[in-house]
Amino acid sequence: MKLNKLKEISFYILFITGFSIFFSSCGDEECLMTSTSEVLIQLKSTSTKKDTTIVFSKVHIVGASDWRPVAGDEPFNLGRFGLPVNPGANTTTYIFTRLDEDDTPVVNSLTISYTINPQILSSDCELEQRYMNLKIEESPLTTFPELILKKNELTISEDPNVQIFF
Amino acid sequence: MYKSFFRVIVLLMICGVSASGQSRLKPSAVRFGIDLTNVGYTLFGSNHTQYELNTDLQFGKYFLAVDVGIAEKSYDNGFLYQFDGQYFRLGVDYNFLAGDPDDNMIFGGLRYARSFYSDEVKYTIENQAFGPHSYEFENSIKGRWFEIVGGMKIRVWGQLFLGYTLRYKFIKKTNGEGAFETYEMPGFGKVAKNTAMGFNYHILYRIPFKK
């Protein structure tokens, strides 16, 4: 009888211990989003390799509705700026128009490709859509003198994805 | 896949039977049961259906344990995620209470587990420049993991037993992921972490073999 009582007690002790260990391991999951749907572009000077700014008379994103890289009217004086990628395609082309010293329009384009990967952080969080494996593709229009891919994933960060040299 | 599975079965049986001694080559009893934890989730949880059958075959102090389960689950939180699949676990338990007149057991053991399932995610993204866009991604996954288990099984009435198993799941691997990372694997749980804990409460019926 004593042995049975001992077994019963040990059963409940171990049951409660197991139950506690299991539930103590079930912590809340974080909903920290690190992805963005904008490619961060930084303009650099070819001669000095330092950051620079360029006045663009127009920045057009192929497939997008009327969209402006900064608030306000054209022209835009840009140095470091984000441009949205097309979430319905694996490539996005940007067409930049500026005026040279003779006020002649110069058109340059940039085409990037990427893969779209949804990631579920937790059932309690929003779904995070990641844009990964970023590449600079050959553009159908005249491209820039020099383009460098610095980071191949679109994340919330100060680090640019693409550097454009003028 | 199946070659490795059968290798593991044979290895476990050899280990279990040989360790229990020549006089215990024949199994002395078998227990069949169901996992009440998953029945509870199915009855009282939302968007979750899971059933698991538990079996163990007694070879003296050793038990060859087999669990088979099916699971179906969905989340709807601005996106729809659902999975549907099967899993099994196979392993050996050691009874630290061997010789108990009621055949109660406090046990520890190891499991090899596999899961076969499909999952999908559907969602819509609103984009300021491009407008809304809807997505659908699907995976067909094969996964495996190992478990260290411990628990108790106690006779409550006649040949009826109640018991529980605490599981530490580790060395997880999945194959077959496509465009999106699978979120949850039947039998394992959330796959973002390499390890997981599990807890099951069982009701089992024991059938002793005639000597």
Side-chain angles (χ1 to χ4, degrees), chain A residues 62-88:
Chain A
V62 176
S65 52
D66 189 25
W67 185 89
R68 293 158 191 275
V70 288
D73 297 326
E74 295 159 336
F76 310 114
N77 188 5
L78 301 173
R80 178 192 282 256
F81 53 100
L83 294 174
V85 294
N86 187 346

Side-chain angles (χ1 to χ4, degrees), chain A residues 3-52:
Chain A
L3 186 65
N4 281 342
K5 193 71 186 169
L6 193 68
K7 279 178 197 165
E8 195 181 319
I9 291 166
S10 61
F11 176 79
Y12 287 118
I13 289 172
L14 287 173
F15 177 78
I16 291 162
T17 308
F19 206 73
S20 309
I21 291 169
F22 173 64
F23 280 100
S24 66
S25 68
C26 301
D28 289 337
E29 289 164 288
E30 284 186 24
C31 294
L32 188 65
M33 300 272 187
T34 56
S35 291
T36 173
S37 60
E38 287 197 347
V39 57
L40 187 60
I41 290 171
Q42 185 180 38
L43 304 182
K44 303 282 268 187
S45 161
T46 309
S47 54
T48 63
K49 307 290 181 196
K50 288 184 177 171
D51 293 0
T52 188

Side-chain angles (χ1 to χ4, degrees), chain B residues 35-78:
Chain B
D35 176 17
L36 296 173
T37 327
N38 286 318
V39 171
Y41 281 133
T42 302
L43 292 177
F44 303 111
S46 58
N47 307 321
H48 184 174
T49 304
Q50 187 166 351
Y51 296 105
E52 186 179 306
L53 297 175
N54 311 109
T55 309
D56 62 21
L57 193 61
Q58 185 176 3
F59 294 90
K61 296 176 184 175
Y62 293 87
F63 290 76
L64 179 66
V66 180
D67 306 322
V68 181
I70 54 166
E72 196 183 304
K73 198 171 180 178
S74 64
Y75 299 111
D76 193 352
N77 181 27

Side-chain angles (χ1 to χ4, degrees), chain B residues 15-25 59-62:
Chain B
C15 291
V17 174
S18 62
S20 62
Q22 291 296 317
S23 61
R24 306 268 187 174
L25 274 175
F59 294 90
K61 296 176 184 175
Y62 293 87

